[in-house]
Amino acid sequence: MCGIVGYIGHRQAAPIVMEGLKRMEYRGYDSAGLCVLEQGNLLVYKRAGKVSQTESLLDYTTMHSTLAIGHTRWATHGEPNDINAHPHTDNSGKISLIHNGIIENYSSLKKKLISEGYTFSSDTDTEVLAVFIGHLYERTGDFELAVRSALSEVDGTFGLAVLCADQPDTLIAARRGSPIVIGIGDGEYIAASDAAAIIQHTRQVIYLNDDEMAVMHRSGYVTKTIDDREIDGEIHEIDFDIEQMEKGGFDHFMLKEIYEQPATFKDAIRGRLLVEDGNVKLGGLRPIEDKLRKARRIIILACGTSWHSGLVGEYMIEQLARIPVEVEYASEFRYRSPVIYSDDVIIAISQSGETADTMAAMKEAKLKGATVMGIVNVVGSTIARESHAGVYTHAGPEIGVASTKAFTSQIAVLSLLALHLGRMNQVSQTQGKVIAEALRAIPDQIEKILQTSDAIKEIALQYSHVTNFLYLGRGFNFPVALEGALKLKEISYIHAEGYPAAEMKHGPIALIDENMPVVIIATKDEVYEKVISGIQEVRARRGKVIAIATEGDMSIAEYADHVIYIPATLPMLTPALTVIPLQILAYAIAAQRGCDIDKPRNLAKSVTVE
Ligand code: AGP
């Protein structure tokens, strides 16, 4: 979603800010812009489209400013065009603002400002905030006070950076609900919405909390609350390298991330699996160990792919630990007055740790007294910091908008958690050891599936022209069917639906004819025979069957048009394997259709607005 970069220091600011924006392109955006302070004037350059289109407006040889802000916008209010792109300035041209989030009371504020004679050129809520800050600055002549006063009057969410033409030695950044990270360099500071824009320059960062701001001058900075109480911003170290943000020879980040999965799965279980004890060590859960032991119920909150891994987690935890689990869309949970008991444990699952709906749902649960643990990938993200306890997935930066390695890492952590809870309940050491050994084997098994990717790509070629796809799975693999369908629709724009295999006959079967490819996950487990009946029903209606089956199952070839094999594992761990061919299939179909795989239309990497 929107990307924010602000720079103050001794180097030329524009190239640093533009480079930062490029590093955040993966988040998804529709327009970009830059504002520099040159000889007392704020100069704004902005364009709908790619960062490179804005960059084509710039001539770095004529720019000298050491203070700048830049933005990539993902439209919420007003269509993506040049005018609605950020930065936005106030009527005097002295204030320039970039903003991520939504100002909910912008309409009443705008009316008030119009009645006082102010004018607006865009349809955005952000311009209203810029004009409002400008109005307060005119009255007080105090830039910082104007920003603080404006922010305490607005409702909604913001991550922002703001400049004032009269203050060439000041950059202000603030947050409520949308992330802001402050990179601390030597006599220079970078405020950004994502550490990806900072890593090239410094590893030392401060994560602002809600209602906090940073006021940066070249000689130093201060962090404070929006109501003006100074605070000690704890300095953290960024835990990934710049190489992890590069494509490393692959055509797309998504493909690179698919191929990283043997390593990322290993990283997720590394040091946490006690194979001989048939148990697990999860240090991050220590603060809530007792709550977990006594949990009457677990509620998993997440969105999208993370919600799918939550469904797998539900099946695993219920099977091993016998604790009832509910999996909720975070967006629904927050608005439906959910019943939450103080002995409920909430698990918030999120790759980015910044998804607005998941954050809000988690806040709601905390407010009602529940204990919250996070399963998060991005270290230092809001969900990670605001959970009572948590487990990082350690998948490294995921750049492709379509989530792949984050899903399998979440599955890894959820299986560790299920085993941990299971061992507190009814799982014996011997059973635990079997699960731990199976988990340890998964990375090599993923590797083996990746070696069959050419055959999967062949299948993809035959179906890249179709307009619909159906994905079916049962038990642990029902969520994988949902995930396979999501992957395909996100990056290829083919309509795809995932269903529990047995539900097909209650409706979707009406769709099946010779033009409908149906991906059916039919691994050898307790529901195998039932799934085979589903395959027969598809075949009887001339649908095309692509089966995901267990190695050694030769008989399935009789019923399916195509078979993709995965190595045998425990049924509860099959999702970590069955999802791999579905990721490759979606990727190969989208590549064949010439889609913009890493930045699919209309999508953002982390959805930081409601
Ligand atoms: C997955 O491919 C998505 N692009 C999307 O569904 C994503 O999983 C969802 O927005 C949740 O994101 P999070 O894990 O960062 O919270």
Side-chain angles (χ1 to χ4, degrees):
M1 207 142 267
C2 306
I4 283 180
V5 192
Y7 175 85
I8 183 166
H10 301 285
R11 293 187 282 159
Q12 194 190 347
I16 294 174
V17 169
M18 295 306 287
E19 177 60 31
L21 292 183
K22 285 184 205 154
R23 293 257 169 225
M24 291 190 297
E25 281 190 294
Y26 75 93
R27 297 168 67 102
Y29 69 101
D30 43 54
S31 49
L34 172 82
C35 175
V36 289
L37 181 61
E38 293 278 355
Q39 292 161 355
N41 295 312
L42 292 173
L43 307 179
V44 174
Y45 307 86
K46 52 188 192 175
R47 276 283 179 275
K50 301 279 179 203
V51 173
S52 54
Q53 281 166 265
T54 301
E55 199 168 35
S56 68
L57 305 172
L58 311 176
D59 176 1
Y60 291 135
T61 59
T62 62
M63 300 172 90
H64 307 286
S65 178
T66 53
L67 176 63
I69 52 176
H71 189 262
T72 46
R73 172 174 188 252
W74 188 85
T76 58
H77 291 66
E79 65 174 272
N81 58 27
D82 295 353
I83 293 173
N84 289 334
H86 300 206
H88 286 283
T89 43
D90 73 326
N91 283 187
S92 71
K94 286 193 168 181
I95 300 292
S96 181
L97 174 73
I98 51 176
H99 164 228
N100 181 13
I102 294 176
I103 303 302
E104 285 166 5
N105 57 339
Y106 85 103
S107 163
S108 57
L109 259 176
K110 189 171 180 174
K111 276 191 199 124
K112 218 158 100 191
L113 290 162
I114 289 174
S115 72
E116 295 190 32
Y118 290 97
T119 55
F120 294 87
S121 52
S122 79
D123 309 315
T124 66
D125 51 336
T126 302
E127 188 186 16
V128 176
L129 181 56
V131 172
F132 188 38
I133 294 173
H135 163 70
L136 296 172
Y137 178 62
E138 261 169 44
R139 286 209 326 216
T140 60
D142 184 333
F143 174 41
E144 187 197 316
L145 177 65
V147 175
R148 276 196 282 104
S149 312
L151 296 184
S152 36
E153 277 193 49
V154 296
D155 298 330
T157 53
F158 51 79
L160 58 82
V162 54
L163 299 182
C164 173
D166 298 336
Q167 304 281 325
D169 189 30
T170 306
L171 167 66
I172 297 181
R175 84 159 265 172
R176 182 187 295 155
S178 291
I180 291 286
V181 191
I182 309 292
I184 301 169
D186 191 8
E188 60 179 7
Y189 301 96
I190 303 175
S193 50
D194 188 323
I198 295 177
I199 177 82
Q200 267 175 297
H201 308 286
T202 174
R203 304 187 78 85
Q204 309 284 307
V205 292
I206 293 177
Y207 298 101
L208 290 188
N209 291 310
D210 279 351
D211 288 308
E212 288 179 1
M213 62 197 287
V215 183
M216 292 155 273
H217 311 292
R218 290 177 185 82
S219 56
Y221 69 97
V222 57
T223 46
K224 50 170 70 178
T225 59
I226 283 163
D227 57 10
D228 205 21
R229 277 177 296 111
E230 274 199 33
I231 43 170
D232 273 340
E234 193 187 338
I235 298 180
H236 298 259
E237 181 103 355
I238 296 178
D239 71 335
F240 59 86
D241 297 314
I242 192 106
E243 295 73 49
Q244 289 175 270
M245 311 285 309
E246 317 277 356
K247 276 193 217 150
F250 286 89
D251 286 344
H252 296 95
F253 281 109
M254 181 182 176
L255 191 61
K256 176 184 172 227
E257 286 156 6
I258 289 173
Y259 275 84
E260 278 174 355
Q261 290 175 106
T264 51
F265 197 95
K266 215 178 259 171
D267 288 343
I269 58 173
R270 190 190 308 280
R272 293 169 167 173
L273 211 49
L274 308 172
V275 178
E276 289 314 309
D277 298 343
N279 210 336
V280 159
K281 186 178 69 187
L282 292 167
L285 296 186
R286 217 165 290 132
I288 62 161
E289 210 55 29
D290 197 46
K291 289 269 184 190
L292 275 172
R293 198 177 297 277
K294 294 181 186 148
R296 183 153 68 131
R297 180 175 65 153
I298 288 175
I299 302 174
I300 297 179
L301 303 175
C303 303
T305 289
S306 299
W307 185 79
H308 297 155
S309 75
L311 287 176
V312 177
E314 173 186 21
Y315 287 40
M316 289 174 174
I317 294 169
E318 290 197 340
Q319 177 166 312
L320 296 188
R322 313 302 302 150
I323 302 172
V325 181
E326 287 168 25
V327 187
E328 300 249 12
Y329 283 117
S331 53
E332 286 299 312
F333 180 85
R334 59 186 291 198
Y335 286 120
R336 63 161 185 73
S337 187
V339 178
I340 302 171
Y341 304 107
S342 55
D343 50 5
D344 283 340
V345 172
I346 306 288
I347 304 178
I349 307 179
S350 175
Q351 187 286 127
S352 61
E354 302 292 352
T355 299
D357 285 322
T358 311
M359 271 160 49
M362 158 182 168
K363 251 186 204 160
E364 176 70 17
K366 268 173 95 178
L367 200 74
K368 298 209 155 120
T371 299
V372 178
M373 72 165 272
I375 296 181
V376 174
N377 189 37
V378 177
V379 175
S381 57
T382 309
I383 294 177
R385 283 180 300 126
E386 291 189 358
S387 304
H388 295 113
V391 184
Y392 280 119
T393 51
H394 295 314
E398 189 179 65
I399 311 289
V401 163
S403 188
T404 52
K405 62 176 181 171
F407 178 79
T408 42
S409 300
Q410 288 164 351
I411 298 296
V413 168
L414 285 161
S415 11
L416 295 175
L417 178 68
L419 177 52
H420 182 59
L421 297 174
R423 293 286 279 121
M424 286 178 181
N425 288 283
Q426 45 132 32
V427 174
S428 68
Q429 182 179 352
T430 317
Q431 289 166 316
K433 200 171 164 193
V434 172
I435 297 167
E437 274 166 354
L439 256 169
R440 195 167 55 177
I442 295 285
D444 288 343
Q445 294 180 318
I446 296 178
E447 189 67 66
K448 207 168 166 199
I449 301 168
L450 292 173
Q451 282 162 14
T452 66
S453 57
D454 283 347
I456 302 171
K457 285 178 191 161
E458 282 296 314
I459 300 173
L461 287 184
Q462 296 178 44
Y463 294 98
S464 58
H465 62 284
V466 304
T467 47
N468 294 291
F469 249 93
L470 198 58
Y471 287 72
L472 304 175
R474 275 191 95 150
F476 289 105
N477 284 300
F478 155 53
V480 179
L482 298 182
E483 176 61 8
L486 178 67
K487 284 295 82 90
L488 186 70
K489 68 185 123 187
E490 280 187 300
I491 58 169
S492 74
Y493 318 137
I494 293 175
H495 168 245
E497 286 191 59
Y499 259 90
E503 275 293 303
M504 182 185 64
K505 55 188 175 297
H506 297 288
I509 199 164
L511 297 169
I512 293 174
D513 61 15
E514 66 278 13
N515 300 315
M516 176 68 98
V518 185
V519 178
I520 306 186
I521 305 164
T523 46
K524 282 276 185 184
D525 54 26
E526 58 273 23
V527 288
Y528 175 75
E529 298 300 337
K530 312 263 177 226
V531 176
I532 294 294
S533 311
I535 293 184
Q536 306 277 28
E537 287 159 15
V538 173
R539 285 293 294 243
R541 285 154 188 88
R542 302 197 310 279
K544 300 279 177 289
V545 175
I546 303 166
I548 313 297
T550 308
E551 262 172 17
D553 178 6
M554 301 320 284
S555 59
I556 199 164
E558 282 173 39
Y559 322 114
D561 296 274
H562 313 273
V563 185
I564 302 169
Y565 287 105
I566 60 141
T569 184
L570 298 175
M572 67 171 261
L573 298 181
T574 50
L577 301 181
T578 51
V579 75
I580 308 290
L582 305 194
Q583 295 168 346
I584 299 169
L585 188 70
Y587 174 83
I589 289 176
Q592 179 66 15
R593 289 163 71 97
C595 298
D596 190 354
I597 293 179
D598 285 332
K599 285 172 250 147
R601 69 182 181 208
N602 305 337
L603 289 180
K605 180 62 186 162
S606 64
V607 183
T608 52
V609 293
E610 267 192 65

